[in-house]
């Protein structure tokens, strides 16, 4: 039928006749124009943002020294880069988005559940939550620029949110929507501007932290009060606790990275760009986060792990404006790369005849307002449960996808079979990959056991546990079913 391992020779009309829109058909060589530099700048904002800086405060409470936390953050970058590069290879080789890579792994019917959980539920919910988190910083900034801004409406609320907070949310939402609606081209321009600002601002803030603390030695020797609840692990396990936490944050992008690598000029471009970008970003992040947070704590006279609180204690208005502004930009970048773009592509894949990428952006953005994320953030516990559940699911999904592409198909995808009408009776397409589904479900169930107090340790290492278990089970089931099928065919042949 088609040539395995090579791009299909059919033009766009071939796919459109089968109900596919241009956003999910294989990208042609002429459409793949993202260079190594584009990938180098792509994820910088996803590293340097408000939630990640706050997370470092939590890492400093698990019993490691400041220097050990810095080392752990740097080593984490290699795990993250490996995940992005490995799962992005299918996209850069064949020009296909995540939704089609998912179909090649789970079958056309089987791909719907993991696709909905990653692109629709996780993508839209995360977009709403990140937008509200960013709008809180914008709210503080607007009140500083326009004294009295916080008094608008005199405390009146609409659907549980004050009018000033709602204004800040809608402004931040509109900017995020515009970046997502513009797609990869606008995102590349945005990150190209943001990238140098991150180096300048966070590098400058790190120098400030060193200065106000009296030197690097005071930061590295700072006496940290460790947490009093939970489990304090030995140093080596605490390192893996940090690795697991950051991989959990990257579980979504790590699964759907093909949405970006499909536009790569070559596999070499995405490999060099992503590895160098992720590692360099995390080296800066490791030093800057620890120096800013501990330096700020020394400056304030008490432990303070919220970077916004530290910034707002500065006396220089312009410094506050610039630092908060860059943090807002990094949150917008994270929203586009990790949330809105995957959600839009997945909506397009689920309803290819009526939803293209831009319609998907509109649907996802409107839905992110309708779920009222400010209400979701009223109960911190429920958010943690929701996000941990999504992370527990996506670890096993990433494991199955990687095993399938590298060990089962040997990096080969037959594009013509992948894109043919799945209801064509003449074509034998596996609609659900049973082995992949069983492996994923087992990995998810075991990962979710961490929500039970008796299995708390599983929760702390859920991504690794889910990834490894699902990978091993899938490869075992695949070869067992393969042997069983051959034996069954042999019996039939002998009977004849």
């Amino acid at each position: 039928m088609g040539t395995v391992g090579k791009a299909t020779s059919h033009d766009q009309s071939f796919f459109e006749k089968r109900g596919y829109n241009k956003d999910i058909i294989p990208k042609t060589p002429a459409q793949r124009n993202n260079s190594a530099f584009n990938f180098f700048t792509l994820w910088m904002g996803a590293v340097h943002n408000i939630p990640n800086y706050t997370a470092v405060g939590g890492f400093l409470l698990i019993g490691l020294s400041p220097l050990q936390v810095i080392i752990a953050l740097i080593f984490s970058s290699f795990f993250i880069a490996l995940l992005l590069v490995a799962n992005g290879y299918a996209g850069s080789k064949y020009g296909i988005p995540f939704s089609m890579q998912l179909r090649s792994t789970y079958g056309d019917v089987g791909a719907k559940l993991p696709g909905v959980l990653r692109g629709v539920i996780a993508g839209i919910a995360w977009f709403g939550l990140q937008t509200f988190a960013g709008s809180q910083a914008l709210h503080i900034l607007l009140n500083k620029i326009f004294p009295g801004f916080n008094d608008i409406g005199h405390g009146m609320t609409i659907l549980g949110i004050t009018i000033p907070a709602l204004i800040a949310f809608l402004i931040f939402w509109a900017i995020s929507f515009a970046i997502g609606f513009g797609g990869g081209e606008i995102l590349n321009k945005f990150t190209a501007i943001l990238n140098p600002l991150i180096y300048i601002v966070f590098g400058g803030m790190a120098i400030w932290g060193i200065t106000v603390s009296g030197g690097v030695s005071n930061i590295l020797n700072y006496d940290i009060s460790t947490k009093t609840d939970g489990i304090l692990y030995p140093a080596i396990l605490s390192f893996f606790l940090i690795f697991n936490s950051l991989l959990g944050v990257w579980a979504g992008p790590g699964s759907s990275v093909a949405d970006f690598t499909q536009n790569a000029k070559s596999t070499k471009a995405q490999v060099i760009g992503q590895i160098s970008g992720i590692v360099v970003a995390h080296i800066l992040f490791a030093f800057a986060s620890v120096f800013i947070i501990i330096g700020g704590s020394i400056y304030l006279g008490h432990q303070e792990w919220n970077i916004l609180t530290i910034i707002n204690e500065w006396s220089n208005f312009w410094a506050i404006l610039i630092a908060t502004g860059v943090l807002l930009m990094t949150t917008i970048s994270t929203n586009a790369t990790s949330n809105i773009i995957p959600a839009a592509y997945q909506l397009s894949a689920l309803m290819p005849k009526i939803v293209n990428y831009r319609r998907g952006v509109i649907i996802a953005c409107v839905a992110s307002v309708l779920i009222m994320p400010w209400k979701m953030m009223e109960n911190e516990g429920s958010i943690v449960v929701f996000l941990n559940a999504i992370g527990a699911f996506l670890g096993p999904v990433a494991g199955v996808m990687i095993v399938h592409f590298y060990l089962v198909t040997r990096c080969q995808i037959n594009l013509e079979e992948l894109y043919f009408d799945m209801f064509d009776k003449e074509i034998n397409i596996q609609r659900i990959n049973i082995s992949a589904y069983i492996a994923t479900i087992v990995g998810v169930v075991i990962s979710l056991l961490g929500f039970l107090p008796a299995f708390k340790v599983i929760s702390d290492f859920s991504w690794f546990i889910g990834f490894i278990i699902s990978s091993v089970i899938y490869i075992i089931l695949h070869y067992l079913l393969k042997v069983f099928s051959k034996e069954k065919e042999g019996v039939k042949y002998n009977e004849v």
Side-chain angles (χ1 to χ4, degrees):
M1 175 78 54
T3 304
V4 177
K6 295 183 179 180
T8 177
S9 59
H10 295 292
D11 58 19
Q12 184 172 326
S13 63
F14 170 82
F15 298 98
E16 289 178 343
K17 290 177 181 177
R18 285 161 174 76
Y20 296 106
N21 61 58
K22 65 180 181 64
D23 296 311
I24 59 174
I25 66 177
K27 295 292 187 292
T28 64
Q31 294 172 312
R32 303 185 202 180
N33 50 22
N34 282 8
S35 64
F37 177 75
N38 293 133
F39 285 100
F40 179 84
T41 62
L42 177 63
W43 301 112
M44 185 66 77
V47 176
H48 295 269
N49 55 61
I50 297 169
N52 280 0
Y53 271 83
T54 303
V56 172
F59 297 153
L60 288 166
L61 301 178
I62 63 176
L64 295 178
S65 69
L67 180 59
Q68 288 175 321
V69 171
I70 291 173
I71 294 172
L73 291 171
I74 293 174
F75 271 99
S76 296
S77 67
F78 295 100
F79 287 99
I80 295 167
L82 181 60
L83 172 64
L84 292 171
V85 166
N87 217 23
Y89 182 31
S92 61
K93 182 176 182 178
Y94 293 101
I96 58 175
F98 164 66
S99 58
M100 298 310 295
Q101 183 185 3
L102 206 59
R103 177 182 286 191
S104 73
T105 302
Y106 288 91
D108 71 305
V109 173
K112 295 186 183 302
L113 178 59
V116 166
L117 284 171
R118 165 58 189 120
V120 181
I121 298 177
I124 292 174
W126 255 120
F127 178 76
L129 293 171
Q130 286 270 19
T131 299
F132 183 64
S135 73
Q136 289 180 307
L138 179 60
H139 185 182
I140 295 172
L141 194 60
L142 287 172
N143 198 49
K144 286 186 175 292
I145 298 174
F146 306 105
F149 173 79
N150 211 34
D151 296 328
I152 296 175
H154 304 288
M156 184 177 70
T157 61
I158 300 175
L159 297 176
I161 185 172
T162 65
I163 293 178
L166 181 60
I167 292 172
F169 176 83
L170 292 176
I171 292 173
F172 197 81
W173 175 90
I175 297 172
S176 300
F177 168 77
I179 298 295
F181 193 76
E185 184 177 348
I186 298 298
L187 181 61
N188 284 337
K189 294 178 180 178
F190 182 77
T191 54
I193 296 172
L194 177 61
N195 204 46
L197 290 177
I198 288 175
Y199 285 105
I200 294 170
V201 171
F202 290 109
M205 290 174 67
I207 294 172
W208 169 83
I210 294 172
T211 303
V212 298
S213 65
V216 174
S217 61
N218 287 341
I219 291 177
L220 297 183
N221 294 317
Y222 184 69
D223 185 20
I224 302 170
S225 299
T226 57
K227 65 180 182 178
T228 57
D229 58 340
I231 304 172
L232 288 178
Y233 296 103
I236 185 63
L237 288 181
S238 294
F239 269 67
F240 275 92
L241 181 64
I242 293 178
F243 299 159
N244 184 81
S245 297
L246 290 181
L247 282 168
V249 171
W250 286 85
S255 298
S256 58
V257 64
D259 285 337
F260 298 96
T261 58
Q262 65 173 332
N263 297 308
K265 288 183 176 179
S266 64
T267 293
K268 182 179 179 181
Q270 70 99 349
V271 170
I272 293 175
Q274 292 203 102
I275 291 178
S276 60
I278 289 293
V279 172
V280 170
H282 275 84
I283 290 174
L284 173 61
F285 173 68
F287 286 100
S289 60
V290 172
F291 286 1
I292 294 168
I293 290 172
I294 295 183
S297 295
I298 294 173
Y299 173 73
L300 296 175
H302 62 85
Q303 287 187 181
E304 178 55 62
W305 309 125
N306 189 328
I307 191 172
L308 288 176
T309 301
I310 294 173
I311 291 173
N312 284 321
E313 290 295 327
W314 293 351
S315 58
N316 189 306
F317 169 78
W318 292 105
I320 295 174
L321 179 65
I322 293 171
T324 307
V326 172
L327 276 170
L328 291 172
M329 292 174 68
T330 60
T331 305
I332 290 171
S333 175
T334 303
N335 244 348
T337 54
S338 302
N339 303 321
I340 197 63
I341 289 178
Y345 273 120
Q346 195 57 47
L347 286 167
S348 178
L350 290 171
M351 299 172 285
K353 294 184 179 181
I354 58 176
V355 178
N356 57 20
Y357 169 78
R358 289 192 166 182
R359 289 175 183 171
V361 170
I362 295 172
I363 294 171
C365 286
V366 171
S368 72
V369 178
L370 296 178
I371 64 173
M372 295 187 291
W374 52 88
K375 298 292 290 184
M376 295 176 65
M377 292 188 72
E378 286 180 349
N379 187 341
E380 183 178 346
S382 63
I383 297 171
V384 172
V385 170
F386 170 76
L387 295 179
N388 283 346
I390 294 298
F393 184 88
L394 294 179
V397 168
V400 168
M401 290 176 70
I402 289 174
V403 165
H404 179 81
F405 185 69
Y406 287 94
L407 300 182
V408 175
T409 68
R410 308 287 182 178
C411 302
Q412 304 296 315
I413 296 177
N414 188 317
L415 292 184
E416 293 190 10
E417 286 189 355
L418 180 64
Y419 279 88
F420 261 111
D421 187 344
M422 294 302 169
F423 297 99
D424 190 333
K425 302 300 183 182
E426 298 179 0
I427 302 172
N428 183 24
I429 299 291
Q430 186 176 26
R431 307 210 68 188
I432 299 180
N433 185 340
I434 299 299
S435 298
Y437 243 65
I438 292 175
T440 301
I441 291 171
V442 172
V444 169
V445 169
I446 293 177
S447 295
L448 293 179
L449 285 176
F451 288 103
L452 301 175
F455 299 97
K456 177 66 168 60
V457 65
I458 294 178
S459 177
D460 290 337
F461 303 97
S462 60
W463 193 92
F464 278 111
I465 291 173
F467 182 94
I468 293 171
I469 287 177
S470 63
S471 299
V472 172
I473 291 177
Y474 178 44
I475 199 66
I476 291 174
L477 287 177
H478 171 75
Y479 284 110
L480 283 177
L481 289 177
K482 192 174 182 181
V483 170
F484 176 76
S485 297
K486 286 184 178 180
E487 291 178 351
K488 191 174 181 180
E489 289 177 2
V491 171
K492 289 183 177 180
Y493 178 80
N494 291 331
E495 288 177 350
V496 173

